[in-house]
Amino acid sequence: VSTQSTGMLVSQYKNEIVDDYAKEEILFLGPDEYTADLMDWAAEYAKTKGYRFWKSFTTGKSPRLGGIPHDTYGMTTRSIHRFVLGTLAKNNLPEESVTKVQIGGPDGDLGSNEIKISKDKTIAVVDGSGVAYDPRGLDRAELLRLAGNREMVKDMDRSKLSPEGFLVLITDRDVTLPSGELVESGLNFRNEFHLYPWVEADLFVPCGGRPESINAQNVEKMFRKDGSPRFKFIIEGANLFLTQDARLVLEKAGVVIYKDASANKGGVTSSSLEVLAALSFTDEEFGIHMQVKDGQPPPFYVQYVKEVQAKVEENADLEFNCIWNEHIKSGTPRSLLTDEVSYKINSLNDRIQDSQLWKDQKLRRSILQKAIPTSLINQIGLENILARVPENYTRAIFGAYLASRYVYQYGFSANEFSFFEYMYKFRLNQNFDKL
């Protein structure tokens, strides 16, 4: 779509827009599948139209425009892997001793970063080109090579496989596996690999694949003949790989599942902080501190990305432990607790934003100093952030931080009185550092 044709469309319909809100609105566009390449164009187009929030109009921009790519910095994978590590720690399992099956290959965002960040014994990787499998563990150095080059498993060096290992491509037909089993269609084998009865591991991490690949109609194939599950732990990196009814069947059988909506929040956290930096800096400052030129990121950008990564991990750990503890206490399936924790945080956030807490200047600053990356505050000052960033955005940061920390600390059963008591103690002691 050309800029000229887009401008014509905007001109055609702008007089038909009715403004019932009657307030300035901040618009953010985040990339969905196959749209990431448009994010730079959209931001630059917004700038040509004089939109003052053009820097934050889109997330997923290239570093050239101050974007923090989830892919490059492993933002989504970083939160997924914290759920993996948390689950293993609760079960006293060193990561190096754990076997894993991974859907989503070394050519993709989540798949490549999961390979780079993990230390487990990966026995299978499934991607768009086929299936790489080795019960002794796929060669870690070879997986890292593929991930570093963003190559698919079809590019794997087959000499790195043990005698029991194999590589079956989607174009293959009538392939005999080392076990003697005949694979008639490599495509069908790839699509249904996770359902084969001999495919089992401690950990299953779908980082890609088709939605509803595990559902009510095939979930029974996730069990051995004796009724025990083939995977002990499932951490959902990709959205919607499992249906909710399938999750509940698996959880009832004792499988530890952390749902996609909890595990892969890291990308959302990163995008929100990318937006915050864009709203906080002037155009000139943004060009100096956030826009990467000639492949050399500014010192501030480097530090800010590190802080964003740390906040992604912190938030993931807090939500992991909150859900784990509540499951132990109530027995409620973890996949249902994901929805409950989101509802409780969001509803409390709304009430906080509508309350008198925001008007407490000391509390407001204390909370924002915790919620906003330190490097941003040090660079331009909290007063400048408050002056430049629209109040509805800083109010949202304030409410979300306070609500989430309260729920994560006090759990699902905490009520309004508990929150009053929580706030009263901190106000009484003027001890906001513990929030």
Side-chain angles (χ1 to χ4, degrees):
V1 180
S2 68
T3 300
Q4 182 180 5
S5 60
T6 302
M8 292 173 63
L9 286 171
V10 171
S11 298
Q12 180 180 350
Y13 292 107
K14 68 179 182 180
N15 293 328
E16 299 178 22
I17 298 174
V18 177
D19 183 7
D20 289 327
Y21 190 53
K23 296 179 182 178
E24 184 176 42
E25 297 179 78
I26 314 174
L27 302 178
F28 311 114
L29 303 182
D32 203 345
E33 194 169 11
Y34 307 123
T35 66
D37 292 343
L38 297 174
M39 295 299 104
D40 280 10
W41 172 86
E44 290 177 320
Y45 179 77
K47 184 179 182 181
T48 67
K49 305 306 291 185
Y51 184 53
R52 72 186 185 101
F53 298 125
W54 70 269
K55 301 188 298 297
S56 60
F57 183 55
T58 58
T59 62
K61 300 184 297 296
S62 67
R64 176 180 69 85
L65 289 180
I68 303 175
H70 303 170
D71 187 342
T72 304
Y73 297 104
M75 294 302 187
T76 307
T77 306
R78 197 168 290 273
S79 64
I80 295 166
H81 201 64
R82 297 306 296 184
F83 279 81
V84 170
L85 295 179
T87 300
L88 299 183
K90 293 292 186 182
N91 288 274
N92 298 312
L93 292 172
E95 185 182 6
E96 293 83 355
S97 70
V98 171
T99 56
K100 180 179 75 180
V101 169
Q102 176 179 318
I103 309 294
D107 61 314
D109 172 4
L110 301 187
S112 64
N113 282 310
E114 173 62 18
I115 289 170
K116 292 176 181 178
I117 204 172
S118 61
K119 300 176 182 177
D120 53 64
K121 180 182 176 182
T122 301
I123 63 171
V125 173
V126 181
D127 70 8
S129 69
V131 178
Y133 174 81
D134 196 326
R136 298 188 188 181
L138 293 166
D139 185 271
R140 173 61 61 176
E142 179 63 5
L143 288 176
L144 288 170
R145 182 188 72 80
L146 292 172
N149 295 334
R150 285 303 178 87
E151 295 178 324
M152 305 180 87
V153 295
K154 69 180 178 62
D155 300 307
M156 176 176 284
D157 181 353
R158 293 175 186 253
S159 70
K160 303 294 185 180
L161 297 168
S162 75
E164 296 94 338
F166 59 76
L167 176 61
V168 176
L169 306 182
I170 59 172
T171 53
D172 289 339
R173 298 192 66 84
D174 298 326
V175 175
T176 301
L177 302 181
S179 65
E181 181 176 351
L182 178 67
V183 174
E184 296 181 352
S185 167
L187 178 62
N188 291 339
F189 184 68
R190 188 279 309 271
N191 292 343
E192 300 174 357
F193 180 76
H194 59 284
L195 301 176
Y196 275 72
W198 46 266
V199 178
E200 55 183 64
D202 300 312
L203 176 65
F204 181 51
V205 182
C207 293
R210 297 172 301 166
E212 302 186 1
S213 290
I214 302 175
N215 53 61
Q217 284 68 47
N218 64 22
V219 68
E220 75 279 356
K221 294 182 179 180
M222 299 295 288
F223 296 89
R224 302 184 183 96
K225 289 182 178 180
D226 63 4
S228 60
R230 293 188 289 109
F231 302 102
K232 298 175 184 177
F233 318 118
I234 299 177
I235 310 298
E236 299 182 54
N239 288 326
L240 308 176
F241 192 85
L242 288 81
T243 61
Q244 183 57 32
D245 46 10
R247 291 186 187 105
L248 294 176
V249 169
L250 290 164
E251 289 198 78
K252 187 176 182 181
V255 179
V256 174
I257 294 181
Y258 274 97
K259 191 176 176 180
D260 46 16
S262 281
N264 64 22
K265 281 183 178 179
V268 176
T269 301
S270 176
S271 290
S272 67
L273 293 173
E274 178 183 330
V275 166
L276 176 61
L279 292 172
S280 299
F281 282 121
T282 64
D283 285 7
E284 182 181 1
E285 292 169 342
F286 192 74
I288 295 171
H289 299 298
M290 284 296 292
Q291 293 185 244
V292 176
K293 300 177 180 67
D294 300 321
Q296 296 297 318
F300 172 85
Y301 183 94
V302 173
Q303 180 59 34
Y304 193 69
V305 167
K306 288 179 181 178
E307 286 196 65
V308 172
Q309 290 174 325
K311 285 191 177 292
V312 165
E313 294 186 352
E314 177 190 6
N315 291 344
D317 290 345
L318 288 169
E319 180 143 339
F320 169 84
N321 284 303
C322 179
I323 291 174
W324 183 277
N325 294 335
E326 183 62 25
H327 172 75
I328 297 299
K329 185 190 304 181
S330 67
T332 303
R334 293 179 179 87
S335 60
L336 295 180
L337 291 175
T338 283
D339 299 332
E340 288 188 29
V341 73
S342 292
Y343 173 78
K344 194 164 186 69
I345 289 173
N346 290 336
S347 58
L348 182 57
N349 180 10
D350 290 341
R351 292 199 295 273
I352 288 172
Q353 290 189 52
D354 292 336
S355 73
Q356 296 299 308
L357 291 173
W358 174 254
K359 295 182 180 179
D360 185 326
Q361 295 284 342
K362 187 171 183 179
L363 176 64
R364 181 193 305 182
R365 283 168 169 73
S366 297
I367 296 300
L368 291 178
Q369 284 172 343
K370 292 290 184 183
I372 297 172
T374 303
S375 56
L376 185 60
I377 294 175
N378 290 343
Q379 185 65 46
I380 59 177
L382 183 58
E383 292 304 321
N384 276 330
I385 294 173
L386 288 169
R388 297 172 181 180
V389 178
E391 183 178 309
N392 56 350
Y393 199 82
T394 52
R395 188 189 288 256
I397 294 173
F398 172 85
Y401 187 89
L402 194 52
S404 63
R405 267 44 184 184
Y406 170 69
V407 172
Y408 289 152
Q409 182 173 342
Y410 282 80
F412 290 67
S413 58
N415 53 34
E416 286 77 4
F417 179 77
S418 299
F419 182 75
F420 171 79
E421 185 178 39
Y422 174 67
M423 294 306 305
Y424 176 76
K425 287 179 180 178
F426 284 110
R427 274 207 174 107
L428 184 66
N429 297 322
Q430 296 295 294
N431 191 2
F432 297 118
D433 287 341
K434 294 183 180 179
L435 282 169

